[in-house]
Amino acid sequence: MKIAVCIKQVPDSDKVTIDRETNRLNRTGVPSIINPFDENALEMALQLRDLYGGTVTVISMGPPQAEEALRTALAHGADEAVLLSDRKFGGADTWATSYTISLAIRKLGDFDAVFFGKQAIDGDTAQVGPGVANFLDMPVVTYAKSVVVEGDHFKVEKVTEDGFEIWEVAKPAAFTVVKEANELRMQSLRRKMAAKKAVITVWGFDDLGADVGLVGLSGSPTKVSKVFAPPVKTNKATITGTPAEMASELIKKLKERNVL
Amino acid sequence: MSKEIWVFAEQRDGVLAGVVKELLSKGRELSEKSGFELCAVVLSEDGGVFCDELYKFGAKKVYTLDNAKFSYYQNDYYSRSIADLIKKYVPEIVLYGATSIGRSLAPTIAAMLHVGLTADCTQLDFDVENGNLLQTRPAFGGNIMATIVSPNHRPQMATVRSNVFKKEPVDNPSGERIVCETNLDGIPERMRRVEVIKESDANTIDLNAAQYIVSGGRGLGAPENFKLVYDLAAELGAAVGASRATVDAGWISHHHQVGQTGKTVCPVVYIACGISGAIQHLAGMQSSDVIVAINKDPSAPIFDVADIGLIGDLHEVVPELIRQLAAAKG
Ligand SMILES: Cc1cc2nc3c(=O)[nH]c(=O)nc-3n(C[C@H](O)[C@H](O)[C@H](O)COP(=O)(O)OP(=O)(O)OC[C@H]3O[C@@H](n4cnc5c(N)ncnc54)[C@H](O)[C@@H]3O)c2cc1C
Ligand SMILES: Nc1ncnc2c1ncn2[C@@H]1O[C@H](COP(=O)(O)O)[C@@H](O)[C@H]1O
């Protein structure tokens, strides 16, 4: 099986703070990590490869330092890595990101499966997976918890609001993967050493034969018009006292706010 | 032809998703500001059964796409059919619930049509000067809010969180059904649903749609103490949430996890019991209407976002709350 996994490098939100004056993220010194959900996508791909043979290619679009995330993925067991990096790709929204990634996947050849995380924790959009699938003309199952091969198709367990669904999906197909699917395996020492030295393919705008109007800022239909601090709560209350007093005060306050 | 605002009328097993009524109610306000006509789009076996309810919440037109293949949500059939309909009528705005269906369908359609899509909005407004839909959503775990526009592409599309807008029926509902042709012959059947497994566990009230949520954290001290959370939830008709620390410890299934790597929820009341309020937890619940925190540490960060903070031992306060709520019911 030829499998692709799209991983995004994101700031470790544990360490991100917001500058209250400018409403910008203080990103200096904030470590970057692989988007946590993408670790589950990677593990799912690795398990399929281990079972059925083949290769796992990790793909990331981002600034040159996103190479780090790709090396980490190699250390965990991926076979190949491709970085999509170009100033022209900068400022991409989910549409332009999906388009650019899809060009790279096409260029890499025919895949049996493409995996994504459920969503990226910096933007929380969950839009890139279905977007790429559309450009690749692949069916997509979102919120996949398990994927197995059955003959010429995949059998997928999908998480829904009130339980699970089982789907059959023709190959090739795309999946976005939830946290509860698995846990990413440890890095092996051998892989870790190899990952340090591995050659990572870097593709820019010219390599992909992209349309300039469809990548980066110019290919992005959405624009951020403003960023602001969430409204401060004005009606805050603190309750202390005996447990009975606290309980009755809480009930009273909820009633005052018409929510009980 | 007048310009239109569309609401995707998501139905599951013949029941409209609650968020559809919320979107229509909000849609009416946008319709008044913009002068665009409010419409709903429903895909099902027979859309006729949904029309009255959609008129009741303000739809002036209901586009029904009727086909046996629409009995359940199938991404290929749904996305292609709606994209074709959008191409035909070119609405100005299309709104979807930020449900698991909406968040798969909308990005597929956005990719097909090269239009902008803003995920998981919590506020919508219309700028009469330039016709932009002002789509506001929390970013970075609710620490900042961002307003997104798509000035040059139509339709402007957004997925919108459940429970942020009120459901308000209209006084004199009236509307018209437009039966649309559906032709799925050219679409190969690449995926099909073969089984549905509902979590019959009575305790799994859908977190995403819940009006009330009671969540437990490590402050519970031991797995068996989740019973307190369940009992309080039962008293309130609430869903049960959890912090990741308790999920990782195996006290409760991942299904219940609220936060960045769990579910994003937006209930009317969120009660956090013994949860410290780490940024990743706040990311999933910060936009709840009223946040109640019960924690014995007055400096716990959960109190920064709480509307009502109870400083005390949950093992004493929660049983008391359960008792008083039960007593009030008689
Ligand atoms: C990439 C990443 C993703 C994450 N995603 C999530 C996520 O989705 N959701 C999530 O929740 N976390 C997430 N976390 C974990 C998060 O950082 C915290 O570790 C976690 O939320 C802490 O859970 P807690 O509040 O239950 O535990 P603790 O932080 O241990 O807090 C327990 C609280 O209980 C209080 N307490 C103790 N005893 C009592 C008592 N008797 N009465 C009242 N109060 C008491 C304490 O004062 C304390 O404030 C993530 C972390 C990372 C790195
Ligand atoms: N820049 C990127 N490079 C590689 N993969 C990405 C990128 N952005 C998003 N993805 C993938 O798409 C998923 C959903 O991202 P998002 O739509 O941004 O929430 C992520 O979990 C990744 O698998």
Side-chain angles (χ1 to χ4, degrees), chain A residues 247, chain B residues 228 313-325:
Chain B
L228 279 177
D313 189 333
L314 69 90
H315 300 290
E316 295 170 358
V317 179
V318 176
E320 191 58 40
L321 251 179
I322 296 169
R323 201 186 57 73
Q324 292 191 19
L325 285 167

Side-chain angles (χ1 to χ4, degrees), chain B residues 2 10 52 60 62 91 157 159 161 171 182 192 197 202 206 225 249 263 283-284 301 304 319 322:
Chain B
S2 76
E10 173 181 332
D52 285 339
K60 289 286 161 199
V62 177
M157 307 213 300
T159 63
R161 252 187 225 178
D171 292 335
T182 59
R192 85 192 155 93
I197 304 146
D206 179 2
N225 293 335
K263 296 201 161 88
D304 297 341
I322 296 169

Side-chain angles (χ1 to χ4, degrees), chain A residues 11-14 16 18 20 23-25 27 36-37 93-95 98 118-119 121-128 130-132 134-143 155 157-170 179-180 213-214 218-231 233 235-241 243-251 253-255 257-260, chain B residues 12 72-76 80 99-101 103-104 107-108 110-120 123 134 136-137 139-153 159 190-199 206 208 212 236 244 254-255 260-264 268-269 271 279-280 286 288-292 294 303-313 316-317 320-321 324-325 328:
Chain A
D12 185 347
S13 62
D14 241 355
V16 175
I18 310 290
R20 289 284 163 207
N23 282 325
R24 303 226 170 263
L25 300 171
R27 276 179 106 143
F37 294 105
D93 73 357
T94 57
W95 195 95
S98 306
K118 176 185 108 167
Q119 62 198 55
I121 61 165
D122 53 352
D124 284 333
T125 79
Q127 291 176 179
V128 169
V132 173
N134 176 71
F135 290 120
L136 294 174
D137 196 20
M138 282 185 193
V140 58
V141 180
T142 49
Y143 311 107
K155 195 161 194 172
E157 195 180 7
K158 171 189 165 87
V159 179
T160 64
E161 274 96 351
D162 52 7
F164 301 96
E165 293 175 353
I166 310 293
W167 283 75
E168 285 175 1
V169 192
K179 189 89 205 157
E180 56 260 54
L214 300 179
S218 57
S220 300
T222 60
K223 315 276 173 225
V224 177
S225 105
K226 73 171 177 183
V227 174
F228 56 101
K233 304 211 157 168
N235 197 9
K236 277 173 82 93
T238 303
I239 303 177
T240 51
E245 284 163 6
M246 283 198 268
S248 65
E249 187 64 19
L250 174 60
I251 293 171
K253 290 223 176 322
L254 291 175
K255 286 197 171 134
R257 291 176 197 233
N258 287 324
V259 293
L260 193 71
Chain B
R12 275 194 280 162
Y72 64 88
Y73 168 70
Q74 202 261 23
N75 196 56
D76 286 344
R80 290 253 217 133
T99 60
S100 68
I101 291 178
R103 294 190 75 174
S104 309
T108 306
M112 286 175 173
L113 301 174
H114 195 187
V115 298
L117 174 65
T118 306
D120 215 16
Q123 283 170 45
L134 304 173
T136 301
R137 65 185 304 258
F140 279 91
N143 275 298
I144 50 173
M145 304 294 289
T147 302
I148 313 284
V149 294
S150 304
N152 306 316
H153 295 74
T159 63
R190 305 187 295 187
M191 55 196 300
R192 85 192 155 93
R193 191 176 78 177
V194 289
E195 207 182 325
V196 180
I197 304 146
K198 294 247 182 312
E199 295 269 87
D206 179 2
N208 298 287
Y212 293 87
L236 292 164
R244 170 153 149 196
H254 185 278
H255 222 77
Q260 187 176 76
T261 40
K263 296 201 161 88
T264 304
V268 177
V269 180
I271 306 182
I279 181 170
Q280 297 89 357
Q286 208 163 34
S288 307
D289 276 4
V290 177
I291 297 170
V292 178
I294 306 175
F303 288 121
D304 297 341
V305 302
D307 298 273
I308 306 176
L310 280 73
I311 302 171
D313 189 333
E316 295 170 358
V317 179
E320 191 58 40
L321 251 179
Q324 292 191 19
L325 285 167

